[in-house]
Amino acid sequence: MDDLLESDWTTEEVSTGTTIIAAVFDGGVVIGSDSRVSAGQAVVNRVLNKVCRLHDKIYCSISGSAADAQAVVDIVDYQMELHGIQMGQPPLVQAAATIVKDICYKYKEELVAHLLVAGWDHKYGGQVYGTLGGMMIKQQFALGGSGSTYIYGFADSAFKPGMTKEECLKFTKCALALAMNRDGSSGGVIYLVTITSKGAEETVITAKDIPSFYED
Amino acid sequence: MAVEFDGGVVIGADSRTTTGAYIANRVTDKLTFIHDHIFCCRSGSAADTQAIADVVNYQLSFHSIELDEPPLVQTAANLFKELCYRYREDLTAGIIVAGWDKRKGGQVYTVPMGGMIVRQSFSIGGSGSTYIYGYVDSSYKPGMTKEECLEFTANAISLAMERDGSSGGVIRLAAITEAGVERKVILGSELPRFTVS
């Protein structure tokens, strides 16, 4: 009882200790996340969507300090809107990734946030960029957040270049479910966004629809 | 790591021992003989785990002579647990005990840091294990054959070696059944490969 009255969640920093993933398939990208936000041991939000829109066909997923990540996303969202209007055409994913990278690198000592940027543009198709630590690296798939350590082996073995959209959705769904099973800071529901030339499609996967695996 | 199957267990480990960034031994044998049908996989401090394994080896061989029959895997595992729990403040040892006995067949017991003991159908440990939780959770199926277990273990360790800087070298495997212990080594060039861009 004492625990509830004098808990650390009132003083602990709010973190999206999390699992985020993005993967390229033939024709676009899938970007996904779990939905748990923790403050110390308490779960302060179990349904947060960590996949944030930067532009119509460019999304990012966030991990680390919730405040830092939201601040960065706000800035990038504004700058991308401006950039899109100035260019008169949908911006490149590379542009969004570069803006994120610039902010994360300049303030790397102060910020504790990692963003994965993914999307589709007319020039290079589907792309995924990791910006950990302020670098920008184009990858076929990228993982992030505290839960990602548990699924590197799975992702390495299961990812195939040139998958179909359905295969890619299955891959990201399974990866997130596995990480959520093992990482205390990840859980809740799965948010996925599929981005193709036609646009972005947001889906939520809850409870029974989350893939389950062998439990001893 | 170690995996139970009907009739025995498969155990496997990488072969890297590091002191800081230097690889002190790139062909270490982390699969340690405890008794004829009981082995352990050691992780953590090499000194601590070697010392503990030596003590348990002695205690178990004495016990086996007194009993006049092969010891139980559960006995060996509990001997490890006694030491690891009693001296928990001073030790850095994560041990997986696996073997075969007549009473319960193939068994895997894990004794992680802190000194708890629990039997599992399969168990992974060591610094590289964090990277393969997702893989083993998704790939493990109950009722695998010995060959399937060997492949499962080799794949898992290979994936961990790929991601963990403290793991690498060759994969040492052993299959323990009623008939005895069958050891295998998978060299670097023959490691299962997973093509990633």
Side-chain angles (χ1 to χ4, degrees):
Chain A
M1 260 316 268
D2 282 350
D3 235 18
L4 288 171
L5 297 173
E6 293 151 13
S7 283
D8 55 4
W9 63 266
T10 49
T11 49
E12 283 283 339
E13 174 167 11
V14 175
S15 120
T16 52
T18 189
T19 313
I20 51 177
I21 182 171
V24 174
F25 65 88
D26 185 20
V29 296
V30 173
I31 180 167
S33 77
D34 72 307
S35 68
R36 179 172 292 182
V37 183
S38 43
Q41 300 294 72
V43 175
V44 294
N45 188 340
R46 58 190 170 100
V47 286
L48 179 74
N49 192 342
K50 299 174 195 177
V51 183
C52 309
R53 178 189 172 279
L54 297 178
H55 207 265
D56 291 339
K57 298 199 191 103
I58 309 174
Y59 278 68
C60 73
S61 50
I62 57 174
S63 70
S65 154
D68 285 353
Q70 283 182 349
V72 175
V73 169
D74 273 350
I75 297 171
V76 182
D77 181 39
Y78 161 78
Q79 298 210 343
M80 285 308 295
E81 196 173 334
L82 191 57
H83 179 65
I85 292 167
Q86 286 177 328
M87 297 300 284
Q89 63 179 0
L92 297 180
V93 185
Q94 209 172 351
T98 306
I99 299 174
V100 171
K101 178 261 294 176
D102 284 343
I103 298 171
C104 290
Y105 181 67
K106 186 165 182 194
Y107 299 104
K108 77 180 288 189
E109 304 305 325
E110 293 100 327
L111 290 174
V112 184
H114 175 213
L115 277 70
L116 291 179
V117 180
W120 185 96
D121 61 42
H122 57 278
K123 195 164 178 195
Y124 298 112
Q127 302 143 73
V128 166
Y129 292 89
T131 62
L132 184 62
M135 71 170 171
M136 184 172 97
I137 181 159
K138 179 155 174 265
Q139 299 173 281
Q140 288 287 85
F141 73 87
L143 308 172
S146 55
S148 67
T149 54
Y150 304 104
I151 48 173
Y152 274 105
F154 172 77
D156 282 343
S157 66
F159 179 80
K160 312 256 171 309
M163 290 190 281
T164 65
K165 184 174 93 164
E166 285 66 36
E167 287 173 332
C168 194
L169 279 166
K170 181 156 178 247
F171 168 73
T172 40
K173 236 191 321 184
C174 288
L176 286 166
L178 287 163
M180 282 155 66
N181 252 350
R182 287 288 182 179
D183 180 30
S185 311
S186 301
V189 303
I190 294 179
Y191 289 103
L192 292 175
V193 175
T194 315
I195 311 171
T196 59
S197 57
K198 299 196 186 64
E201 195 187 309
E202 304 187 12
T203 47
V204 187
I205 300 164
T206 60
K208 290 205 191 64
D209 300 326
I210 296 177
S212 62
F213 303 90
Y214 176 77
E215 306 228 352
D216 201 347
Chain B
M1 78 184 263
V3 191
E4 286 179 9
F5 64 89
D6 182 21
V9 293
V10 164
I11 55 173
D14 73 307
S15 69
R16 182 173 289 184
T17 310
T18 52
T19 43
Y22 175 64
I23 299 171
N25 187 348
R26 61 186 171 99
V27 286
T28 324
D29 184 7
K30 301 182 189 176
L31 307 176
T32 306
F33 173 92
I34 300 297
H35 209 266
D36 294 337
H37 291 87
I38 307 175
F39 269 63
C40 76
C41 309
R42 304 180 287 111
S43 69
S45 154
D48 285 351
T49 53
Q50 281 177 2
I52 296 169
D54 279 350
V55 172
V56 174
N57 188 328
Y58 161 77
Q59 290 176 333
L60 203 64
S61 66
F62 198 82
H63 171 71
S64 170
I65 290 168
E66 282 186 315
L67 235 56
D68 197 24
E69 66 178 40
L72 299 175
V73 186
Q74 192 170 10
T75 310
N78 274 289
L79 285 172
F80 272 105
K81 181 261 296 174
E82 282 298 307
L83 285 168
C84 292
Y85 180 67
R86 180 161 306 186
Y87 300 107
R88 59 186 296 178
E89 305 301 326
D90 309 307
L91 293 172
T92 310
I95 296 175
I96 300 176
V97 185
W100 180 93
D101 63 39
K102 214 167 55 173
R103 201 182 283 187
K104 292 190 189 161
Q107 300 145 73
V108 169
Y109 294 89
T110 181
V111 182
M113 276 184 252
M116 81 147 174
I117 179 172
V118 69
R119 182 180 172 187
Q120 297 180 300
S121 340
F122 69 90
S123 187
I124 57 177
S127 60
S129 67
T130 55
Y131 303 103
I132 50 173
Y133 273 105
Y135 175 76
V136 298
D137 281 345
S138 63
S139 296
Y140 178 77
K141 301 178 313 284
M144 292 195 283
T145 64
K146 182 176 85 167
E147 284 64 33
E148 286 173 325
C149 284
L150 282 162
E151 195 185 334
F152 171 63
T153 308
N155 283 342
I157 295 178
S158 181
L159 286 163
M161 282 158 63
E162 195 73 13
R163 288 287 182 177
D164 179 32
S166 313
S167 304
V170 304
I171 298 182
R172 294 198 188 275
L173 293 169
I176 308 172
T177 57
E178 182 172 10
V181 181
E182 210 181 290
R183 299 199 64 153
K184 245 172 45 160
V185 182
I186 303 182
L187 301 178
S189 51
E190 302 153 4
L191 285 175
R193 298 195 60 229
F194 300 89
T195 46
V196 191
S197 60

